[in-house]
Amino acid sequence: MEEVPRRPEITYPARVPMKIIGRLEELRPDMVMELILAHLGPQAEGDERHQSNCKGAFISYTFWITLPDDKVETPLREAIQKLPGVVMQL
């Protein structure tokens, strides 16, 4: 039986991309950034900007965030999922 590959070791703080996909008319990047700042505190200079991509009725926003430890990502993602228009997170 093949061994299941293990997740790579992550050292913290870790700077990672977070992509949020939602409905164009509902999801706004300022709502996402507000939650990022509330959960993680101030981010590195330049990381408060985001990249966006729009296709049809959907838009995706990519933010770079710095996770201080392994306990903060899940609560942040749970809060983002409750925003109006959110469809998926990567």
Side-chain angles (χ1 to χ4, degrees):
M1 180 178 278
E2 283 188 43
E3 186 176 320
V4 176
R6 291 180 16 167
R7 262 185 116 164
E9 292 287 325
I10 299 174
T11 57
Y12 293 93
R15 185 172 179 262
V16 297
M18 177 180 273
K19 181 177 277 197
I20 298 93
I21 302 166
R23 291 183 289 280
L24 178 62
E25 300 298 323
E26 296 179 62
L27 183 62
R28 295 189 333 262
D30 60 307
M31 299 186 308
V32 177
M33 194 68 227
E34 184 178 307
L35 287 176
I36 291 171
L37 294 174
H39 283 262
L40 303 179
Q43 296 295 290
E45 187 175 330
D47 283 354
E48 291 189 16
R49 291 187 298 259
H50 64 278
Q51 295 176 321
S52 62
N53 189 8
C54 185
K55 183 148 184 149
F58 297 94
I59 190 159
S60 70
Y61 297 108
T62 302
F63 292 87
W64 280 89
I65 60 172
T66 300
L67 301 171
D69 57 51
D70 63 344
K71 294 168 184 57
V72 296
E73 184 176 6
T74 298
L76 172 60
R77 287 189 178 276
E78 289 171 351
I80 289 172
Q81 193 62 41
K82 294 176 185 175
L83 289 174
V86 171
V87 175
M88 180 187 317
Q89 299 178 56
L90 304 171

